[in-house]
Amino acid sequence: MQISPHTGSQLVDLCSALLLLTCFAIVAQRRLSACVDLFALQSAFLVLTAALVAFLTGNPHIYIAAGLTGLIKVIIIPRVLKKVIERLNVKRELVMNINVPAGLLICGALVMLAFFITQPIIPLGFLLTRDSLAIALAIVLIGFFTMIARQKAVTQLVGFLVMENGLFLGATAATYGMPLIVELGVFFDVLIAALIAGIYTNRLQDAFDSVDTTHLTVLKE
Amino acid sequence: MSPIIQSLLLVTAQVIVLLTVSPFLVGLIRKVKARFQCRQGASVFQPYADLAKLFRKQPVISTTTSWIFTATPYILFASTLSAGLLVPTFTTQTPLNFAGNIIALVYLLALGTFFLILAGLDAGSAFGGMGSSREAIIASLTEPAMILSIFAIALTAGSTNLSTIVHKTALLEGIATDPSPHLMALAALFIVALAETGRVPVDNPATHLELTMIHEAMVLEYSGRYLALIEWAAGLKLAVFLSLIANVFAPWGIATTLAPTTMGIGLVVYVVKIAGLAVLIGVIECMFAKLRLFRVTDLLGVAFILALLGLLFFYILRS
Amino acid sequence: MIEVLVLLIAPLLAGGLSLIVHRSALLHAINLISMSLLVAAEIMITRTVVRDGPFTALGQLVYLDALSAFILFIIGAVGLACSLYMRSYMDDQVARGVIAPTRLNLFFFLFHMFLLAMVIATVANSVGVQWVAIEATTLATTFLIAFWRRRESLEAGWKYLILCSVGISLALFGVVLTYYSSLHVLGDVSEALNVTQLLPVADRLNPHVLKLAFIFILVGYGTKVGLVPMHSWLPDAYTEAPAPVVAMLAGVLEIVAVYAILRIRIIVDHAVSPAFTGGLLALLGFASFVTAAFFILIQHNYKRLFAYSSIEHMGIAMIGFGVGGPLGAFGGLFHLLNHAFAKSMAFFAAGNIHRRFHTVDIGQVQGLAIAQPWTAMALMVAGLALSALPPFASFVSEVQIVTALAAQGVPGQWLTNSGGMVTFALSDQFSSLSLTGLFLLCSVLAFSGMLYRITGMVWGTPPDGIVQGEAWSLGHLPIIALAAALVGFGFFLPQPIRQLLEEATRIILIH
């Protein structure tokens, strides 16, 4: 099936926009299990985008990266997180420092910031996907914001994983993926980080009887 | 065929299509929900029978109401039908496209809502007042989201006239030129549609608990032909929104010329599209629970931000 | 090459064995053997590099030049010192029941993985693999920091994990941008991140993209270094972790992160004027130095005191690199070396003090000279070295940096107007003289704060109930060696180290 480069780049843009949409959904969510589900959905879209880029450019090793993403971020990590949530008996964020509409406005501002920052780079793009890099940076910034704005340890972890998703999108769409050894290393790191954070949350629960990170204020100055 | 006869025929055709399709949509959503709940459910054509029954009955009116109470069903029905005539359904040449554009559409619908709010207050009952105030909050929050999302699309097409927009998009024969703003606008408009037509997660149309009602609370006092008109107008509103979403974002199959064959295909495609959207709404109603009222504002805030972003994306991608 | 293989396989094997072996004496022996092998391999590599210049190994996977050899030297030296110190420290912890004996396996396994990751980060040719290794160090050390499992330790560990992972993710974006720019020029997919490939074509890379990439990498890896404002994990982590772990973190990990920044800087400097990177480094360096100096004055916890001192010294080193020039760069590198030695010694002393006094409060620790004479000497030497007083080597390196600062000033008048990039202007009024004055002021603040606290701890009479007298153990050997090195380097730098430093300086200053 031959797809013209123009249509192809639009398809990739569409997928990136879908990813951004799931980002907003995560910021607007209060329920922890819904956040994890949305993250799994976002990772699924990411797999789709990567497969699309692989198909359009004919680079087989992106398929491998897409497959790994699918395995790790759509199946393994959400399962781990769901188990953690079950064990924690915590269902939702009760107090939000920044309420949902304000948070969404800030995310909108972050998207604009991302486009502004990557503006000098966009005209350079001879590759298929020009503003996917901007959307990737936007997703990274939104993930970062989620980590700051939320209190529950699990949501902070989801924010970190969203950042990694944004980075993978940036790497795939802008540079057709990183060298395979680097991709493998990144996946390995993300997986271990999620597992470690899962173990950590359990320890936090045992020590503090809660995973509300506002309790972690003993160490000051 | 002279243009006047042509437009008269188009007007009549569109009116008939809209009036016929709207109870069907309501019945379809109820059927889908029933099936999800493992029930047989009433027939898809039950709302037609309900309307017929209501028209035959004698209305009972409270003595404490004013002229607003009796006038509102007619105003609501007329304004919603006029709004329907502005939206392309099976052909891109809407009958009244010379008379109004998107802004007229939004404010015709708002006119109907306004009178309904007043009518809810008119009878002096507590539930009516409660429903009216809730509806006012939701209407004031959906309006900016709706306008912004429609503007995002209008900017891409270069006109606020709906038939122009749909005509241009339909002729492009491919994925829209800028998918990102359209995607945001679609998401925003979908949430607005759910809110304006009183569907879960904003309002549960099947509830019998007055304290949870929004739309139903306003029409508690109505009976007979007035209730029939209001129910029909609610169905029409649903049809208007679904037509808007289907034809602005995915208009392929719509009749761009006035040849009878294309119009026939356009009609079939149109019915299939909005039936599909109605099924989607039915599924969404089964998946989610109704939000508490102060969470609805969060949801509408999300819609607003999405619409705003759609607009911004358009400008950013332009530059 | 055999040395490189030894470098990589020794920690891997040691880590694997640590999981299986149960006797603690054997665990320590494995640790010491692996560490000695590491040091031996590193000495061989240094000889090769000084004699023949940079070389690659393992089929372009490994790149070693004087800079990497220098960092390896620090890793080896501090690592060996730590391993010797751990010999008595860990046994003491197990004997007192603070750690269960089975957890010792986990401790050593994580320690070896940590070492392996740092070695990979130093010798990797590909910038991407370097990133993976640095992220791996974060993961390996998280549980080491929270090893005591107390509430405060968990809090410190969580903060460390989150902040460092976030920072390093930002650095990954920088790496992606570097890859993006190199793809345009090189076109080849798998080699485009290798330093050996990037250096020859560095002047053809796109300056805008590289500027952005450098900013992200600086912020990202700067989190690991502990530069202000990304430093908030540092005081907590250093307070709560066990002493040998902190010694490795402060002495080695920060320096590996600085190395990562310098590698990218060398590449970026070919395409963008060095004033850009220099200005940014100096800015962050000054921010860290000033902030840390003030915080040192108000500390009551001696481990936290040393943590802020780490931030301060990293700031000074960054100023040295930012100012640039032969004196600044040499001073910066030399300062990294001195800081590594002094800081590890400080934390060894801290560990010993904690074992005896069971408190981290400065006010409750007195009369160290009578209670633990060896530790008191270590503390005194470390404190004086960290305050950059003569005759210690850190005095020499700081004088070098200040001289460079006074002579050249900070490259502050860069204004980048390239379409859409963030414009940044350092005010014209910041002459080199006023910055030097600021530097000296903060130096005095830090030195007075540090010395006041340390003399308060060392002199006086010990509180009642504290056992007095300190038996000689293997753990005191590294303290003596480090102290001797700190004093010795102030007067005389051995020829191989001097050659290594000069070569490394030459690599940093490419113009």
Side-chain angles (χ1 to χ4, degrees):
Chain A
M1 193 167 90
Q2 256 325 92
I3 304 186
S4 74
H6 186 58
T7 324
S9 113
Q10 280 174 358
L11 274 174
V12 178
D13 279 348
L14 185 65
C15 288
S16 319
L18 277 174
L19 276 169
L20 197 57
L21 215 54
T22 50
C23 256
F24 286 120
I26 291 180
V27 173
Q29 261 304 328
R30 280 175 194 259
R31 280 172 37 233
L32 296 184
S33 54
C35 276
V36 175
D37 284 333
L38 281 167
F39 167 70
L41 185 66
Q42 184 179 62
S43 307
F45 281 143
L46 197 57
V47 173
L48 191 65
T49 316
L52 199 61
V53 172
F55 175 70
L56 289 169
T57 58
N59 261 338
H61 78 269
I62 306 183
Y63 281 122
I64 304 178
L68 270 177
T69 309
L71 183 66
I72 294 181
K73 287 189 181 166
V74 180
I75 302 178
I76 298 184
I77 291 189
R79 242 198 221 154
V80 168
L81 288 180
K82 284 281 178 68
K83 279 220 183 89
V84 169
I85 294 178
E86 255 177 52
R87 194 184 174 279
L88 291 183
N89 201 25
V90 170
K91 291 293 180 254
R92 52 180 65 230
E93 297 257 359
L94 292 174
V95 176
M96 311 255 283
N97 298 333
I98 305 178
N99 63 358
V100 171
L104 285 171
L105 270 173
I106 294 179
C107 285
L110 286 174
V111 172
M112 285 199 288
L113 183 67
F115 270 93
F116 179 64
I117 291 179
T118 50
Q119 212 168 29
I121 308 177
I122 291 179
L124 283 185
F126 66 86
L127 304 170
L128 284 183
T129 51
R130 302 171 1 138
D131 41 29
S132 290
L133 191 64
I135 292 187
L137 182 59
I139 297 179
V140 169
L141 290 176
I142 293 181
F144 185 46
F145 167 72
T146 314
M147 290 183 81
I148 303 176
R150 298 305 194 86
Q151 295 170 345
K152 295 280 181 278
V154 177
T155 347
Q156 287 181 342
L157 181 61
V158 171
F160 169 67
L161 291 168
V162 167
M163 278 181 88
E164 292 286 333
N165 270 358
L167 288 167
F168 183 69
L169 177 69
T172 312
T175 60
Y176 300 154
M178 310 270 280
L180 195 59
I181 185 171
V182 178
E183 295 267 12
L184 287 174
V186 173
F187 280 125
F188 184 64
D189 275 341
V190 171
L191 185 60
I192 303 281
L195 288 173
I196 288 183
I199 300 177
Y200 236 103
T201 335
N202 284 334
R203 298 252 180 98
L204 279 175
Q205 171 81 341
D206 291 337
F208 288 92
D209 283 328
S210 112
V211 277
D212 196 331
T213 53
T214 50
H215 289 177
L216 302 182
T217 51
V218 172
L219 300 171
K220 266 201 233 295
E221 217 192 31
Chain B
M1 208 185 294
S2 79
I4 301 182
I5 312 265
Q6 213 172 53
S7 0
L8 273 177
L9 279 175
L10 267 177
V11 168
T12 326
Q14 184 133 337
V15 165
I16 294 177
V17 166
L18 279 174
L19 288 180
T20 334
V21 144
S22 24
F24 171 69
L25 289 175
V26 176
L28 186 60
I29 296 182
R30 286 191 197 152
K31 186 76 169 173
V32 167
K33 279 168 75 170
R35 281 307 184 150
F36 261 85
Q37 293 163 6
C38 297
R39 293 188 280 122
Q40 267 297 107
S43 148
V44 181
F45 301 106
Q46 181 64 29
Y48 294 103
D50 287 337
L51 282 176
K53 167 191 84 178
L54 282 171
F55 270 119
R56 282 198 305 263
K57 296 210 178 227
Q58 187 191 22
V60 177
I61 305 178
S62 159
T63 46
T64 55
T65 57
S66 66
W67 65 269
I68 293 185
F69 191 80
T70 43
T72 296
Y74 297 107
I75 300 178
L76 181 63
F77 188 78
S79 64
T80 317
L81 190 57
S82 323
L85 288 174
L86 287 174
V87 177
T89 51
F90 57 95
T91 165
T92 55
Q93 296 195 347
T94 52
L96 291 183
N97 67 353
F98 58 89
N101 54 10
I102 301 181
I103 303 183
L105 170 75
V106 173
Y107 286 104
L108 276 173
L109 291 173
L111 182 69
T113 314
F114 174 65
F115 269 97
L116 195 59
I117 290 176
L118 285 182
L121 289 165
D122 204 24
S125 79
F127 291 130
M130 178 195 80
S132 294
S133 71
R134 288 177 177 180
E135 178 74 21
I137 296 175
I138 293 179
S140 60
L141 287 175
T142 54
E143 184 177 309
M146 188 165 164
I147 291 203
L148 276 182
S149 66
I150 292 183
F151 269 176
I153 306 156
L155 279 173
T156 334
S159 155
T160 53
N161 191 312
L162 271 171
S163 62
T164 323
I165 295 176
V166 175
H167 198 81
K168 277 197 183 169
T169 323
L171 289 180
L172 279 171
E173 301 305 300
I175 301 178
T177 42
D178 295 316
S180 310
H182 277 231
L183 197 64
M184 302 280 156
L186 173 62
L189 203 54
F190 194 74
I191 297 178
V192 165
L194 287 177
E196 285 268 356
T197 52
R199 297 273 140 201
V200 173
V202 175
D203 177 21
N204 188 354
T207 182
H208 56 277
L209 302 166
E210 291 88 349
L211 285 174
T212 62
M213 293 177 181
I214 301 179
H215 182 265
E216 311 301 323
M218 291 189 288
V219 302
L220 273 176
E221 295 285 328
Y222 279 107
S223 52
R225 60 173 183 274
Y226 297 129
L227 185 58
L229 281 174
I230 290 184
E231 297 279 322
W232 214 344
L236 272 173
K237 202 170 185 185
L238 180 63
V240 165
F241 270 104
L242 292 184
S243 314
L244 193 63
I245 291 177
N247 284 335
V248 169
F249 292 100
W252 309 291
I254 199 171
T256 45
T257 62
L258 285 179
T261 43
T262 50
M263 298 235 278
I265 298 176
L267 186 59
V268 171
V269 170
Y270 167 69
V271 172
V272 166
K273 276 196 275 194
I274 53 174
L277 278 175
V279 169
L280 178 64
I281 290 189
V283 171
I284 290 181
E285 291 216 314
C286 293
M287 276 170 49
F288 294 102
K290 188 175 99 75
L291 286 175
R292 299 170 64 182
L293 194 62
F294 57 90
R295 296 289 173 82
V296 173
T297 52
D298 279 354
L299 181 65
L300 294 173
V302 171
F304 176 74
I305 299 287
L306 285 174
L308 190 64
L309 273 174
L311 207 56
L312 283 169
F313 268 34
F314 169 75
Y315 277 113
I316 291 172
L317 290 176
R318 259 288 185 84
S319 57
Chain C
M1 305 212 61
I2 189 82
E3 304 73 274
V4 177
L5 278 175
V6 167
L7 213 55
L8 292 172
I9 296 185
L12 192 63
L13 262 181
L17 283 174
S18 305
L19 282 177
I20 317 175
V21 170
H22 286 296
R23 284 184 51 207
S24 92
L26 211 51
L27 279 171
H28 283 289
I30 294 175
N31 186 13
L32 283 169
I33 293 175
S34 130
M35 200 58 83
S36 321
L37 282 174
L38 211 78
V39 173
E42 176 271 314
I43 293 178
M44 307 275 288
I45 291 176
T46 311
R47 270 228 310 252
T48 323
V49 166
V50 166
R51 208 179 47 210
D52 299 328
F55 66 94
T56 60
L58 293 184
Q60 298 283 321
L61 280 179
V62 165
Y63 173 68
L64 284 162
D65 61 359
L67 192 57
S68 347
F70 176 62
I71 305 291
L72 277 178
F73 167 65
I74 300 182
I75 295 180
V78 175
L80 191 58
C82 255
S83 305
L84 288 169
Y85 177 73
M86 281 202 291
R87 188 74 186 81
S88 47
Y89 184 83
M90 296 312 282
D91 285 344
D92 181 70
Q93 298 290 317
V94 174
R96 286 197 302 148
V98 179
I99 316 178
T102 43
R103 294 198 71 210
L104 216 51
N105 294 63
L106 183 67
F107 183 85
F108 275 105
F109 172 69
L110 288 173
F111 188 77
H112 287 292
M113 288 300 112
F114 176 40
L115 259 178
L116 179 65
M118 281 200 293
V119 167
I120 295 181
T122 316
V123 307
N125 194 355
S126 161
V127 179
V129 174
Q130 188 181 55
W131 182 89
V132 172
I134 294 192
E135 171 75 11
T137 62
T138 311
L139 300 175
T141 43
T142 297
F143 281 129
L144 283 175
I145 289 178
F147 208 68
W148 292 158
R149 283 204 187 161
R150 290 166 42 226
R151 294 175 86 153
E152 291 83 6
S153 317
L154 283 176
E155 176 181 343
W158 179 255
K159 238 179 171 174
Y160 173 75
L161 178 65
I162 293 290
L163 281 172
C164 283
S165 295
V166 168
I168 293 185
S169 304
L170 290 175
L172 183 58
F173 193 72
V175 172
V176 169
L177 283 176
T178 318
Y179 189 53
Y180 184 80
S181 70
S182 83
L183 270 188
H184 280 256
V185 176
L186 286 173
D188 185 15
V189 175
S190 61
E191 310 271 299
L193 271 179
N194 287 4
V195 174
T196 43
Q197 309 288 79
L198 282 172
L199 273 178
V201 298
D203 43 358
R204 284 191 276 149
L205 298 171
N206 182 305
H208 297 309
V209 177
L210 277 190
K211 274 188 195 165
L212 207 54
F214 182 73
I215 293 179
F216 273 103
I217 289 185
L218 182 59
V219 169
Y221 289 147
T223 315
K224 279 301 293 248
V225 174
L227 295 174
V228 169
M230 295 89 65
H231 69 289
S232 47
W233 60 272
L234 205 148
D236 301 333
Y238 284 21
T239 321
E240 294 304 321
V245 173
V246 189
M248 288 297 279
L249 281 177
V252 188
L253 186 54
E254 290 184 355
I255 292 175
V256 172
V258 173
Y259 165 74
I261 297 178
L262 285 176
R263 269 277 171 246
I264 295 287
R265 188 204 177 186
I266 296 172
I267 296 171
V268 172
D269 275 353
H270 280 283
V272 180
S273 94
F276 175 77
T277 54
L280 275 178
L281 285 174
L283 181 70
L284 283 181
F286 263 109
S288 315
F289 190 21
V290 174
T291 317
F294 279 105
F295 269 105
I296 285 180
L297 287 175
I298 53 174
Q299 287 308 315
H300 302 290
N301 177 332
Y302 55 81
K303 280 176 114 173
R304 225 170 162 82
L305 178 70
F306 289 137
Y308 277 110
S309 161
S310 279
I311 300 179
E312 173 211 344
H313 283 281
M314 282 299 133
I316 296 177
M318 281 302 167
I319 294 176
F321 292 126
V323 167
L327 206 54
F330 187 92
L333 285 174
F334 193 30
H335 199 76
L336 287 179
L337 179 68
N338 301 330
H339 173 252
F341 284 2
K343 197 41 66 69
S344 25
M345 204 162 65
F347 278 109
F348 293 159
N352 286 346
I353 298 175
H354 189 84
R355 286 199 306 197
R356 184 63 63 84
F357 286 77
H358 303 294
T359 171
V360 277
D361 189 7
I362 293 182
Q364 292 179 15
V365 176
Q366 287 172 24
L368 205 57
I370 305 177
Q372 288 179 296
W374 291 109
T375 306
M377 183 214 51
L379 191 65
M380 206 64 204
V381 169
L384 289 173
L386 288 172
S387 315
L389 289 175
F392 296 101
S394 39
F395 172 70
V396 176
S397 55
E398 237 180 81
V399 161
Q400 285 173 332
I401 295 178
V402 162
T403 318
L405 179 64
Q408 293 161 244
V410 165
Q413 276 158 356
W414 39 266
L415 214 63
T416 56
N417 285 352
S418 38
M421 280 292 285
V422 179
T423 42
F424 219 110
L426 224 46
S427 154
D428 284 40
Q429 288 125 358
F430 267 128
S431 65
S432 54
L433 219 52
S434 57
L435 276 179
T436 319
L438 181 64
F439 188 102
L440 290 172
L441 173 68
C442 293
S443 223
V444 168
L445 282 176
F447 134 67
S448 52
M450 172 85 67
L451 229 42
Y452 176 66
R453 306 262 183 264
I454 295 203
T455 47
M457 282 202 285
V458 169
W459 307 125
T461 53
D464 306 324
I466 302 291
V467 176
Q468 302 194 4
E470 191 170 4
W472 169 264
S473 73
L474 198 57
H476 294 105
L477 193 58
I479 295 182
I480 309 278
L482 288 174
L486 273 173
V487 175
F489 288 170
F491 293 108
F492 166 72
L493 203 54
Q495 187 59 8
I497 303 183
R498 168 188 285 275
Q499 267 184 305
L500 203 59
L501 269 173
E502 283 174 0
E503 236 348 276
T505 314
R506 221 164 289 146
I507 293 180
I508 299 182
L509 305 168
I510 35 102
H511 295 293

